[in-house]
């Protein structure tokens, strides 16, 4: 059994920021204690761009709880969505109250499970699948295989969207991108420079001969590395993510 001391060792406070760190200095998740629902980290705001493709997702499945930033944001600001979070580490789940993660209810649930095993049993269930599961060494190998990505595609409903957080400096990055492209039949895009070393990949379960609004938008982003032709550089995309999050929070 993991002790409360070991739980606490994952926590690091600097001023008004509480961080989850598997190793000192390597921030997995961060919360502003004065505004717990704010998405502090740039990559988290970038992942929320899934709303552009799926504005009314009914079921969101998340791989990796961390400090719960994405989970509690979606729970509060996407009230029409049911949210299932898969987390392998019991010590991380034990910190949910420290990070103001809401309790389980009829539309929010955290499951202590190996995501690779769980995904293999899921079929035609999720509208959006957020892959953000990391350990001390980065992305676990079990969450990067061709089989896992095939299971993810099967877990999605038709026109469902996968969003994967991958470090650009991961030596497997080109291979992972190739696997996603193959499993999702080329229906991939990224917003250039939106989250620094975190590359956020959007992959759509779509039929190329049956265009949908999500597929049309994905193709547009893929062509320009952003929404606006000629303005695909990082600053514009980062402003887009900030605008989207602010709009969801009702602060615009």
């Amino acid at each position: 059994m993991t002790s409360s001391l070991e739980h606490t060792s994952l926590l690091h406070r600097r001023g008004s920021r509480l961080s989850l760190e598997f190793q000192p200095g390597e921030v997995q998740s961060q919360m502003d204690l004065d505004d717990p629902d704010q998405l502090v980290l740039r990559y988290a705001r970038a992942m929320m761009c899934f709303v552009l493709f799926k504005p009314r997702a009914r079921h969101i499945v998340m791989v990796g709880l961390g400090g719960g930033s994405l989970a509690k944001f979606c729970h509060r600001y996407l009230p029409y969505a049911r949210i299932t979070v898969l987390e392998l580490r019991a010590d991380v789940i034990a910190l949910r109250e420290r990070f103001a993660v809401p309790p389980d209810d009829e539309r929010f649930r955290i499951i202590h499970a190996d995501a690779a095993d769980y995904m293999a049993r899921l079929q035609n269930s999720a509208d959006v699948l957020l892959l953000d599961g990391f350990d001390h060494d980065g992305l676990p190998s079990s969450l990067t295989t061709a089989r896992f990505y095939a299971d993810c595609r099967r877990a999605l409903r038709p026109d469902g969207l996968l969003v994967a957080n991958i470090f650009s400096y991961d030596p497997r990055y080109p291979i992972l991108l190739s696997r996603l492209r193959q499993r999702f039949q080329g229906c991939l895009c990224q917003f250039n420079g939106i989250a620094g070393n975190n590359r956020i990949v959007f992959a759509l379960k779509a039929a190329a001969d049956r265009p949908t609004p999500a597929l049309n938008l994905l193709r547009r982003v893929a062509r320009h590395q952003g929404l606006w032709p000629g303005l695909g550089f990082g600053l514009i995309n980062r402003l887009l993510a900030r605008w989207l999050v602010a709009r969801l929070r009702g602060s615009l």
Side-chain angles (χ1 to χ4, degrees):
M1 180 178 294
T2 309
S3 71
S4 59
L5 179 62
E6 288 173 300
H7 294 162
T8 307
S9 71
L10 299 171
L11 297 174
H12 296 268
R13 180 170 178 174
R14 299 174 182 87
S16 65
R17 299 288 175 87
L18 182 67
S19 299
L20 177 72
E21 302 177 14
F22 293 159
Q23 297 186 40
E26 295 186 6
V27 176
Q28 302 292 324
S29 187
Q30 194 169 81
M31 179 178 73
D32 185 338
L33 293 167
D34 297 326
D35 187 3
D37 291 324
Q38 180 189 167
L39 292 179
V40 175
L41 298 181
R42 193 162 63 183
Y43 93 88
R45 296 193 295 271
M47 292 189 77
M48 282 304 304
C49 285
F50 78 79
V51 175
L52 295 169
F53 303 93
K54 304 296 295 181
R56 299 289 294 183
R58 291 173 294 161
H59 185 202
I60 300 169
V61 175
M62 301 183 180
V63 173
L65 172 65
S69 298
L70 285 168
K72 65 187 179 186
F73 187 91
C74 290
H75 178 262
R76 177 165 182 177
Y77 296 111
L78 303 179
Y80 43 79
R82 178 167 60 94
I83 299 155
T84 303
V85 185
L86 310 177
E87 173 55 54
L88 180 63
R89 294 183 54 157
D91 55 347
V92 169
I93 296 174
L95 293 170
R96 62 186 296 172
E97 291 185 5
R98 298 290 297 272
F99 283 99
V101 177
D104 287 6
D105 58 25
E106 65 277 0
R107 51 174 291 264
F108 183 82
R109 183 169 58 139
I110 296 174
I111 300 174
H112 182 204
D114 184 316
D117 292 339
Y118 191 95
M119 205 64 63
R121 302 190 300 270
L122 205 59
Q123 185 171 354
N124 195 34
S125 175
D127 298 293
V128 174
L129 177 54
L130 303 179
L131 302 185
D132 189 30
F134 289 83
D135 60 21
H136 293 86
D137 300 316
L139 267 175
S141 58
S142 62
L143 303 185
T144 64
T145 65
R147 177 177 178 177
F148 176 70
Y149 291 143
D151 289 340
C152 288
R153 190 178 195 280
R154 188 176 59 252
L156 288 168
R157 292 174 176 154
D159 206 39
L161 184 74
L162 176 147
V163 185
N165 178 22
I166 307 173
F167 289 131
S168 62
Y169 51 79
D170 189 324
R172 300 166 297 174
Y173 176 74
I175 297 173
L176 303 185
L177 204 59
S178 176
R179 287 173 181 168
L180 281 167
R181 183 172 288 109
Q182 180 180 19
R183 293 300 174 183
F184 284 83
Q185 302 171 354
C187 294
L188 261 67
C189 76
Q190 296 183 57
F191 290 83
N192 185 47
I194 198 169
N197 286 325
N198 296 81
R199 300 297 170 86
I200 311 302
V201 182
F202 298 82
L204 191 68
K205 181 180 181 180
D209 60 342
R210 293 197 298 274
T212 64
L215 180 58
N216 291 337
L217 179 60
L218 183 139
R219 286 172 170 168
R220 178 181 175 187
V221 173
R223 282 196 303 271
H224 306 298
Q225 295 186 310
L227 285 180
W228 295 281
L231 295 176
F233 48 85
L235 176 60
I236 295 296
N237 289 332
R238 291 193 293 274
L239 290 174
L240 169 66
R242 282 187 174 275
W243 172 84
L244 178 65
V245 166
R247 183 170 67 87
L248 289 171
R249 297 189 75 185
S251 57
L252 285 180

